[in-house]
Amino acid sequence: MRIINLSEQNTILNRFVSELRDVNIQKDSMRFRRNVERIGETMAYEISKTLNYAPLETQTPLGTSITNVPTDPIVIATILRAGLVFHHGFLECFDKAENAFVSAYRKYRENHQSFHIHIEYIASPQIENKVLILTDPMLATGGSMDLSYQALLTKGEPSHVHIATIIASKQAIEYCAKNFPQEKTTIWAAAIDPELNESAYIVPGLGDAGDLAYGEKE
Ligand SMILES: O=P(O)(O)OC[C@H]1O[C@H](OP(=O)(O)OP(=O)(O)O)[C@H](O)[C@@H]1O
Ligand SMILES: O=c1cc[nH]c(=O)[nH]1
Ligand SMILES: [Mg+2]
């Protein structure tokens, strides 16, 4: 398993992440959504470097040109709600990809301290032998990602799994490293944070990504 922490490189991605985290800037929900999307676009570009390529001959008005283009069939999957904008960023880059959606969300108990992860439905194409990119901006315990992957396996065995996230906790990275297939999983994180609080929120993190993008829910 490869674990790639993009914050270890000095790139403009770090600016997008710092704006998401900033308690004042993040109040501008349009900017928050756009930054999530921009990170999706940038991460998709990084993932594109790991795909298989073949030469494509193109007719131009003046002659022919040969360009290496990616050949892998790609399915971009996302976890509602917070994943939606991130997904859109990936789709801007991989515009020919198929798409899958999983409704996995935290259902809190009365005390709001404990929760279980609830999956209601999935909408997915066949994923057999395709490159599966699982996108979710927050990887806190890793539970939603794991359950979503298990649900998607009912649609076939992917050739490779990319877990793509903006902020992961150390704990979730360790959890995914144990629970996803070693030989064909890559984890991409724009940042990896040290801990979770008692409500399983990432610290320092950025808060609740779904609420910041779309408003609070009941
Ligand atoms: O790694 P985990 O511990 O499973 O937590 C991460 C999940 O929590 C968030 O979704 P949330 O349940 O808040 O739903 P929302 O996107 O609708 O706000 C986030 O987008 C992940 O899906
Ligand atoms: O820190 C966290 C954990 C789960 N979901 C979020 O949006 N943020
Ligand atoms: Mg949320």
Side-chain angles (χ1 to χ4, degrees):
M1 179 167 308
R2 287 180 71 202
I3 298 164
I4 297 160
N5 179 355
L6 292 167
S7 74
E8 288 169 353
Q9 303 167 27
N10 282 340
T11 72
I12 192 64
L13 192 81
N14 293 342
R15 165 77 66 194
F16 306 156
V17 177
S18 76
E19 287 196 7
L20 290 181
R21 290 184 190 272
D22 187 299
V23 71
N24 293 311
I25 299 175
Q26 66 174 205
K27 285 183 187 137
D28 177 352
S29 60
M30 191 165 76
R31 188 163 190 89
F32 184 86
R33 290 193 299 271
R34 184 63 194 120
N35 275 326
V36 169
E37 199 174 29
R38 292 203 285 183
I39 296 169
E41 290 165 17
T42 313
M43 201 173 271
Y45 173 73
E46 291 297 323
I47 291 175
S48 78
K49 297 176 190 172
T50 70
L51 298 172
N52 291 303
Y53 283 72
L56 175 74
E57 189 177 296
T58 311
Q59 183 69 50
T60 79
L62 301 176
T64 55
S65 162
I66 310 265
T67 320
N68 272 352
V69 293
T71 52
D72 299 284
I74 296 172
V75 178
I76 308 167
T78 204
I79 306 173
L80 302 179
R81 285 173 305 170
L84 279 175
V85 226
F86 196 36
H87 183 114
H88 196 255
F90 276 80
L91 200 52
E92 287 290 308
C93 191
F94 296 128
D95 54 279
K96 295 184 186 347
E98 294 180 279
N99 299 278
F101 299 91
V102 182
S103 78
Y105 62 93
R106 291 175 163 194
K107 216 172 161 103
Y108 284 89
R109 300 195 175 88
E110 292 280 288
N111 58 12
H112 212 264
Q113 292 296 308
S114 62
F115 61 87
H116 64 276
I117 294 160
H118 194 71
I119 294 205
E120 228 150 55
Y121 94 117
I122 63 167
S124 172
Q126 279 297 322
I127 61 170
E128 184 74 24
N129 275 331
K130 296 176 184 169
V131 171
L132 178 65
I133 306 179
L134 290 163
T135 64
D136 191 327
M138 307 303 284
L139 199 62
T141 63
S144 304
M145 189 60 83
D146 184 23
L147 286 179
S148 300
Y149 176 60
Q150 296 304 328
L152 289 167
L153 285 180
T154 59
K155 305 294 179 186
E157 270 286 341
S159 58
H160 195 93
V161 182
H162 294 280
I163 296 175
T165 190
I166 298 180
I167 304 183
S169 73
K170 252 188 171 164
Q171 180 184 316
I173 296 284
E174 282 161 20
Y175 178 86
C176 291
K178 273 202 206 101
N179 289 284
F180 280 74
Q182 279 301 318
E183 68 293 349
K184 63 171 186 184
T185 304
T186 310
I187 304 178
W188 301 82
I192 299 178
D193 281 6
E195 56 194 11
L196 296 179
N197 68 12
E198 62 287 351
S199 307
Y201 272 75
I202 302 170
V203 179
L206 54 76
D208 191 301
D211 288 359
L212 287 161
Y214 296 117
E216 288 183 14
K217 60 188 183 199
E218 277 198 349

